[in-house]
Amino acid sequence: VERELKILVLEDSAEDYEIELRELRKAGLRFVSRRVETMGEFEREMAAYGPDLILCDHQLPTTDGHEAIRAAREKCPETPLLIVSGSLGEDQAVECIKRGAVDYIVKGRFASLGVRVRRALEEAQARAERHKLEEQYRHAQKMEAIGRLAGGIAHDLNNVLTAILGYSQLWLAKLPPDDPNRNDVVEIEKAGQRAASLTRRLLAFSRKQVLSPRVINLNAVVRDVERLLRRVIGEDVELVTTLEPSLWNVKADPAQVEQVIMNLAVNARDAMPRGGRLTIGTNNMAPDVTLWVSDTGTGIAPEIKTHLFEPFFTTKGLGRGTGLGLSTVYGIVTQSGGRIAVQSEQGKGTTFRIYLPRVLERAEPLPQATPRPGPAEGRETILLVEDDDVIRALAASVLRAHGYTVLAAPDGIEGARAGAEHKGKIDLLITDLVMPRMDGRTLARELTARRPGLKVLLMSGYSAEENPGDEAAAALRKPFTPRELLARAREVLDGTA
Ligand SMILES: Nc1ncnc2c1ncn2[C@@H]1O[C@H](COP(=O)(O)OP(=O)(O)OP(=O)(O)O)[C@@H](O)[C@H]1O
Ligand SMILES: [Mg+2]
């Protein structure tokens, strides 16, 4: 339904005002209007009335058109203003247009008023739409640039952190429990873990995570996190779920969707310091499935909304928020082919709504996260190919210290040669994905062709191009700890990965 227009008319003649209204009605416009006579009233009504269109007499007893145009451009820059005048010379008319009026009409030739008002309104609407598109485009470009920066930093830091974490754990394994230096190494390891968790979230934002997407039902994920959620949000917040019983399936990484729900729920809790209601819901909305998280908290101010998904944007005090929660959510959702929208009213609450494309395949059961305990040692022979010297040396010494025989090579070509020259059995190839000369994937293909039964574990720094998520081969994400390396190697060797 077309909304009624609001027209503000600066005009000292009541008679001319009536004629103008009649012309506009004749042209079929639906509107309400208000007439003002002085600049004071005019300025006040621009703010209070919020007009969609301004008609303005050029010669008033107390002011002229130029003054009115100046005021209108300041107070309502988006609202089209038309000058109406008893007698307006060509020069004066041009001057008015230069100053920002969109058109001028000479009194006595009112017949064209309707057409010209319509045109002015259409142009204003087109302008507003163009602004909105430009704004969206700028925003997308900004997010893209920040994402590249964040991804680049995180990628390089991951190699450094793998070394820091690895060597501190190796050292800890060697130091006797009562060694006075032990605590220092523990602190180094803790700091490394904190940094690793930052880079993980930065990678998530830059959509460079290694995802393991599978066909899932979002209701199952919500039910899975519900218990944990109740503990996280505390007793003052009521948790309600409204799940669509015949919800369609989506393809996404269930662990990441859990992360999304958790981050949104924690934010919702923070927005309701004196309690409230947190609602998590699902819906079918062709062609998408939606998951929404809604709170009755403080709401979000419009000037904050545009920055919400930027990494490190937070309104929480020092040490209370990192500003990575929503950027992680944004990264996960967009990398999964979805999008996210936010709706918020200050003082009333906020709803985040996630749209993921529906898939027609049947859902797989959610994987149970139960890490296998026990010694992750072995006697097998492993070919380790990695171009980063520090990581290669670290991984080799960790594996050797746990019983394995390790052949190490700095790139794919050397790795292929080592594989060809070795006389005995090779049980497992552990290789980096991106390397100079020959990448890990090619190497794995060549070696498995020649040595059937050779198992493969791919190490991946990041990036969707090297995302091993969809492949048959198992993956190990950097930065990894010696424990993770040993556990993964054992799983792949045992065929339980
Ligand atoms: N449900 C909400 N209600 C009100 N404000 C919100 C809500 N969710 C997010 N915000 C605002 O968005 C900002 C960014 O959220 P984000 O989750 O990215 O970072 P954070 O919560 O401040 O820190 P972190 O999640 O890293 O601990 C918050 O600081 C807050 O101002
Ligand atoms: Mg947060």
Side-chain angles (χ1 to χ4, degrees):
V1 188
E2 209 178 302
R3 189 173 62 87
E4 251 181 11
L5 287 170
K6 287 194 274 184
I7 301 180
L8 180 62
V9 186
L10 176 58
E11 172 64 79
D12 61 337
S13 153
E15 204 178 317
D16 286 350
Y17 177 60
E18 284 309 321
I19 300 174
E20 288 167 14
L21 297 191
R22 200 163 54 231
E23 286 300 327
L24 292 175
R25 270 188 219 109
K26 239 198 257 169
L29 286 165
R30 291 198 335 117
F31 64 95
V32 290
S33 64
R34 193 166 288 188
R35 179 171 74 101
V36 291
E37 290 189 55
T38 66
M39 273 304 284
E41 287 175 308
F42 183 55
E43 297 206 10
R44 201 169 47 243
E45 288 302 318
M46 276 193 291
Y49 191 49
D52 302 299
L53 180 84
I54 297 171
L55 295 180
C56 178
D57 193 350
H58 191 55
Q59 286 147 328
L60 294 162
T62 54
T63 184
D64 69 352
H66 294 170
E67 186 58 19
I69 293 172
R70 194 196 49 72
R73 298 228 34 178
E74 203 180 295
K75 291 240 158 63
C76 308
E78 308 286 337
T79 311
L81 180 150
L82 283 77
I83 292 288
V84 182
S85 170
S87 60
L88 198 62
E90 192 88 1
D91 292 350
Q92 278 174 303
V94 169
E95 189 58 31
C96 287
I97 301 273
K98 264 195 203 154
R99 286 171 192 248
V102 298
D103 203 352
Y104 62 91
I105 291 119
V106 178
K107 286 185 178 176
R109 294 203 219 126
F110 276 129
S112 63
L113 185 64
V115 179
R116 295 167 91 153
V117 161
R118 269 190 185 284
R119 190 177 58 203
L121 287 168
E122 276 159 18
E123 281 169 3
Q125 196 185 355
R127 212 166 27 244
E129 268 157 25
R130 201 166 55 237
H131 276 168
K132 202 172 143 204
L133 279 179
E134 281 168 3
E135 196 47 53
Q136 280 172 354
Y137 179 67
R138 252 199 304 280
H139 189 250
Q141 275 202 318
K142 183 179 73 179
M143 296 300 269
E144 202 54 48
I146 307 175
R148 252 198 316 277
L149 176 68
I153 294 174
H155 180 233
D156 285 358
L157 274 180
N158 270 347
N159 280 340
V160 179
L161 286 169
T162 300
I164 292 175
L165 287 172
Y167 281 108
S168 33
Q169 285 187 9
L170 271 186
W171 209 0
L172 281 175
K174 277 187 275 187
L175 287 176
D178 55 349
D179 192 292
N181 289 321
R182 219 184 142 78
N183 205 41
D184 296 358
V185 187
V186 168
E187 289 304 320
I188 293 175
E189 206 230 333
K190 270 199 221 154
Q193 292 288 9
R194 272 202 302 280
S197 119
L198 279 179
T199 59
R200 255 197 306 279
R201 286 185 282 167
L202 277 181
L203 280 182
F205 169 69
S206 60
R207 290 169 282 149
K208 296 280 165 65
Q209 276 204 115
V210 178
L211 296 182
S212 313
R214 45 169 76 215
V215 178
I216 53 170
N217 192 285
L218 291 177
N219 287 350
V221 184
V222 174
R223 284 195 205 100
D224 250 28
V225 289
E226 213 175 320
R227 269 213 2 253
L228 179 59
L229 263 185
R230 278 186 209 283
R231 224 177 315 138
V232 168
I233 60 175
E235 283 165 8
D236 297 336
V237 175
E238 181 194 357
L239 176 63
V240 180
T241 54
T242 64
L243 305 179
E244 160 68 45
S246 49
L247 190 70
W248 298 332
N249 292 334
V250 297
K251 191 160 187 194
D253 183 333
Q256 302 298 324
V257 176
E258 276 186 21
Q259 181 76 58
V260 164
I261 298 173
M262 282 313 263
N263 290 5
L264 293 177
V266 168
N267 283 345
R269 176 202 64 191
D270 292 348
M272 301 184 286
R274 284 187 304 277
R277 190 187 311 118
L278 168 64
T279 314
I280 302 180
T282 52
N283 290 111
N284 294 330
M285 279 177 78
D288 297 316
V289 178
T290 73
L291 168 74
W292 47 274
V293 175
S294 188
D295 66 62
T296 54
T298 53
I300 302 173
E303 65 271 19
I304 286 181
K305 248 188 213 162
T306 50
H307 299 293
L308 277 181
F309 299 108
E310 292 169 15
F312 301 112
F313 176 83
T314 178
T315 58
K316 297 169 189 174
L318 201 65
R320 298 194 38 235
T322 328
L324 285 173
L326 284 180
S327 52
T328 303
V329 169
Y330 177 88
I332 293 171
V333 170
T334 44
Q335 194 182 347
S336 310
R339 65 201 161 81
I340 182 165
V342 56
Q343 196 183 353
S344 184
E345 202 174 327
Q346 273 182 285
K348 294 238 172 91
T350 305
T351 300
F352 284 91
R353 193 179 278 278
I354 287 159
Y355 301 80
L356 290 171
R358 169 194 195 178
V359 298
L360 294 170
E361 290 98 317
R362 281 181 46 178
E364 306 164 38
L366 295 183
Q368 293 306 315
T370 40
R372 285 182 329 126
E377 312 198 322
R379 298 274 161 263
E380 288 92 340
T381 299
I382 297 176
L383 172 57
L384 170 70
V385 187
E386 159 70 61
D387 59 325
D388 188 307
D389 294 340
V390 179
I391 293 182
R392 190 177 61 251
L394 168 70
S397 60
V398 167
L399 291 167
R400 284 192 187 114
H402 289 80
Y404 295 101
T405 302
V406 179
L407 315 165
D411 63 39
I413 300 278
E414 292 297 322
R417 181 171 321 153
E421 284 172 3
H422 185 72
K423 294 284 172 294
K425 186 171 187 226
I426 299 179
D427 301 282
L428 174 64
L429 166 69
I430 302 183
T431 178
D432 197 16
L433 268 171
V434 176
M435 293 181 295
R437 307 215 289 166
M438 184 195 284
D439 64 83
R441 233 179 229 118
T442 313
L443 173 66
R445 230 183 354 255
E446 289 204 357
L447 281 183
T448 45
R450 271 196 249 145
R451 290 175 176 265
L454 173 71
K455 305 233 164 84
V456 178
L457 174 58
L458 300 174
M459 292 183 284
S460 136
Y462 82 129
S463 105
E465 304 86 67
E466 44 180 297
N467 183 352
D470 284 343
E471 289 180 26
L476 177 64
R477 193 168 67 183
K478 291 179 188 173
F480 52 79
T481 63
R483 262 192 300 279
E484 284 163 351
L485 170 64
L486 289 167
R488 278 312 259 159
R490 199 59 258 160
E491 280 172 9
V492 177
L493 282 165
D494 293 344
T496 54

